[in-house]
Amino acid sequence: VTDLRPGELAAELRELLPAMAVLTDEPDLRARARDWWPLARLREVRGDRLSLPAAVVLPRSTDEVAAMMAWASRTGTPIVPRGLGSGVCGAVTPSPRSVVLELSSMDRVLDLDRESRLIHVEAGIRGDDLEAALAAEGGTLGHYPQSMAISTVGGWISAWSAGQASPGYGQIEDRLAGLTAVLADGSIVRLTPRPRHGAGPDLRRLFLGAEGTHGVVTEAHLAWDAADPRIVWRAFGYPAFETVLGAGRDVLRAGIGARVNRGWDETDTRHGFADQTDPDRPCLGVVGVAASAPGLDGRLDAVARMAAEHDGREIDAGVGERWWSRRLDAVDAFERLMGPRRELGPGSLIDTFEPAALWRDLPRVYRSVRAALEAHTSEVRCHFSHVYPTGAALYFTFVLREATDDQVERVYLAAWRDALAACQEQGGSVAHHHGLGRVKSDAWGADVGASAADLMRRIKGALDPAGILNPGVLGTPDRLPRLNGAGRSPSR
Ligand SMILES: Cc1cc2nc3c(=O)[nH]c(=O)nc-3n(C[C@H](O)[C@H](O)[C@H](O)COP(=O)(O)OP(=O)(O)OC[C@H]3O[C@@H](n4cnc5c(N)ncnc54)[C@H](O)[C@@H]3O)c2cc1C
């Protein structure tokens, strides 16, 4: 590990890469000292002294990233790749001797291939800017995370992101045709875009969900579609969450081609759709189909038939439309609750957990995780929006209210510990599209299993033998005190 002091380190970097921005002022470091992990936000508003990185660098090209990584490898400097820090699990938590390598200045569109419908971008491009570039061509990526305007393509790949229209457009892996990454030693790997290929293993997957531990993704080739924003909605009330899940599964399996297919449990329906609650059918399900889909009426008839088979009763379809128009509101809501305003007051904390499971295990995962969270929290709600032939992801939102911020941190950590254990006991995976970060890092080994963990350690050893890329994440050793057990920094 480098023994340069922060000032010397920055001077050396400026000499090495004079054109690259190297930030060392405290407000700049502070702004990159955390992501949107609710516990990090709590600690910040509580006044804890966050661990600041030694510097933040803002490269402008793959070559600059390569030079930066070669330097980091020579000096043993830990590097924390960062998009815009919208991750919610603490994956961007720099240690005092680390350098944050933020991709936000690499935000250009490099090429647009209209015939193949591919766009080649730098990895720091923000989601909404990418959509705007495609909209100018009459296109869309179809990847719409709620955090569109505060996240980057590199972050999407690295956290294995999922968008809200995933039933129609797939997840980020379905859009990712090729990429460029820089490994720990500074070597550049270019994975050429292909529609699909069988020439050996799919190396793109080394970077999907790697949370910055395998390399720095600097460019991506993404597949896009013709924009077709008009959606026809159908909405149904169901007697229980299990029945909405069943309808969602059957709509998917029937190949109706729904663009959106989601359902809410009773508490989440009450929370989001107070005016839609029906005592007999307190759970809501909505399906949205592209208005231009061939045979639209037949598809909508099939949706209604499947809903009826699961005891669904049709309600005003406007509920789907209203949800869609509010789908990006979560960023403001989260900021109001966990930012300086703390609208729920001191001692409050809100977080989300997105386990994935096979259909056969899903009802048990739902019940067990819900019970584990309920034991610690004042409110638990759940919905699903990502469905697959073999299973689905659940999305729990949980709210904690304790007397003080110190108490809530203790309860929060206990809630996570029990929810993760409950999920894994029932055969679920603890991450679908948020990654593991620090809050779930202890669950990583059990999630993938011993043999896969061993293989991943060997791959990590080959790609980054000194362990300089995002230490502490994905089972890699950390030089920081454990964040999810040790509590706050002593020196506030
Ligand atoms: C209110 C809110 C709503 C959200 N909704 C969604 C949603 O609907 N769907 C969804 O998938 N996620 C959602 N998220 C989570 C978050 O936006 C995603 O995880 C996103 O992919 C992170 O992108 P980022 O650019 O901010 O990455 P960061 O948070 O900066 O980084 C995330 C991880 O990726 C690594 N990383 C970032 N860039 C690179 C790179 N170029 N090369 C290598 N590693 C890199 C980091 O080291 C870190 O491990 C939401 C977050 C918030 C706060």
Side-chain angles (χ1 to χ4, degrees):
V1 179
T2 178
D3 52 9
L4 290 172
R5 286 206 297 274
E8 297 167 339
L9 181 146
E12 199 174 295
L13 279 175
R14 286 189 181 110
E15 201 179 309
L16 178 76
L17 291 161
M20 184 176 68
V22 179
L23 313 179
T24 50
D25 289 347
E26 191 172 321
D28 292 325
L29 302 182
R30 193 165 290 289
R32 277 86 172 185
R34 58 152 180 84
D35 56 14
W36 280 55
W37 181 23
L39 186 56
R41 310 246 13 204
L42 171 88
R43 288 172 172 169
E44 184 178 52
V45 293
R46 184 170 66 186
D48 289 22
R49 207 181 70 188
L50 298 180
S51 142
L52 301 186
V56 173
V57 296
L58 300 166
R60 289 199 168 269
S61 67
T62 296
D63 285 344
E64 272 188 0
V65 174
M68 180 65 213
M69 288 311 304
W71 170 87
S73 174
R74 244 183 358 259
T75 56
T77 307
I79 297 294
V80 181
R82 185 179 196 274
L84 285 171
S86 71
V88 285
C89 295
V92 175
T93 306
S95 66
R97 285 190 171 273
S98 66
V99 171
V100 170
L101 194 160
E102 181 176 295
L103 276 287
S104 62
S105 297
M106 290 183 62
D107 59 354
R108 290 176 303 159
V109 173
L110 300 174
D111 186 37
L112 193 117
D113 173 349
R114 292 177 184 86
E115 191 168 1
S116 319
R117 285 203 181 150
L118 276 179
I119 188 165
H120 180 194
V121 294
E122 291 182 321
I125 191 168
R126 239 175 43 195
D128 55 348
D129 289 340
L130 170 59
E131 264 309 299
L134 287 171
E137 295 290 327
T140 180
L141 193 68
H143 188 74
Y144 313 132
Q146 289 179 305
S147 52
M148 281 281 280
I150 56 167
S151 61
T152 65
V153 165
W156 293 350
I157 295 167
S158 307
W160 210 327
S161 167
Q164 296 184 89
S166 71
Y169 292 105
Q171 315 289 14
I172 192 62
E173 66 269 28
D174 302 305
R175 299 277 127 195
L176 185 66
L179 61 79
T180 299
V182 176
L183 303 185
D185 64 359
S187 49
I188 299 173
V189 179
R190 294 192 191 278
L191 303 177
T192 313
R194 299 270 189 252
R196 179 186 185 272
H197 77 84
D202 184 352
L203 295 177
R204 291 169 301 184
R205 300 232 166 203
L206 282 177
F207 301 95
L208 277 161
E211 298 190 59
T213 62
H214 286 174
V216 182
V217 179
T218 56
E219 297 167 30
H221 302 264
L222 301 165
W224 51 277
D225 281 359
D228 172 21
R230 277 194 39 242
I231 299 179
V232 179
W233 294 96
R234 290 290 179 268
F236 306 87
Y238 291 88
F241 190 48
E242 280 80 354
T243 52
V244 202
L245 273 170
R249 180 197 58 214
D250 291 352
V251 165
L252 175 95
R253 285 187 179 161
I256 286 161
R259 190 170 281 174
V260 175
N261 180 355
R262 43 193 297 143
W264 292 260
D265 75 359
E266 190 172 340
T267 40
D268 221 0
T269 302
R270 250 197 329 269
H271 174 81
F273 310 90
D275 52 339
Q276 295 299 327
T277 45
D278 166 352
D280 293 336
R281 286 180 172 69
C283 301
L284 178 66
V286 301
V287 176
V289 182
S292 61
L296 179 64
D297 289 346
R299 291 174 198 250
L300 295 174
D301 288 348
V303 169
R305 203 169 53 247
M306 310 234 161
E309 278 168 17
H310 291 275
D311 216 1
R313 184 188 292 156
E314 189 149 4
I315 59 170
D316 172 20
V319 72
E321 189 118 34
R322 285 195 292 282
W323 166 76
W324 184 247
S325 68
R326 298 192 320 242
R327 70 191 183 282
L328 301 177
D329 290 359
V331 172
D332 282 346
F334 187 83
E335 184 59 31
R336 282 200 314 274
L337 298 175
M338 289 313 300
R341 282 158 69 183
R342 290 296 289 289
E343 276 191 0
L344 294 178
S348 64
L349 218 164
I350 182 162
D351 203 353
T352 57
F353 175 29
E354 24 66 87
L358 297 173
W359 288 113
R360 65 160 192 233
D361 299 324
L362 211 58
R364 277 182 289 107
V365 170
Y366 169 66
R367 285 193 296 273
S368 301
V369 171
R370 178 174 250 296
L373 289 171
E374 273 170 353
H376 299 282
T377 60
S378 67
E379 186 185 336
V380 181
R381 11 185 237 267
C382 184
H383 70 260
F384 73 86
S385 58
H386 307 294
V387 284
Y388 308 93
T390 52
L394 300 173
Y395 192 94
F396 290 93
T397 302
F398 53 100
V399 183
L400 295 96
R401 282 165 179 264
E402 298 294 325
T404 65
D405 282 343
D406 288 352
Q407 270 172 21
V408 83
E409 172 163 346
R410 276 193 295 278
V411 179
Y412 171 83
L413 294 169
W416 264 112
R417 183 198 58 217
D418 293 352
L420 294 172
C423 172
Q424 292 185 326
E425 268 160 30
Q426 301 303 335
S429 166
V430 297
H432 176 263
H433 58 271
H434 286 169
L436 295 166
R438 279 158 206 275
V439 71
K440 306 181 202 169
S441 62
D442 285 349
W444 173 75
D447 217 86
V448 296
S451 59
D454 181 51
L455 175 60
M456 280 175 58
R457 279 195 199 96
R458 290 197 232 176
I459 292 169
K460 170 74 177 171
L463 295 178
D464 178 19
I468 58 170
L469 275 164
N470 212 1
V473 171
L474 271 187
T476 57
D478 191 0
R479 297 181 185 97
L480 274 180
R482 295 206 68 76
L483 286 195
N484 55 356
R488 60 150 59 134
S489 145
S491 47
R492 314 195 246 162

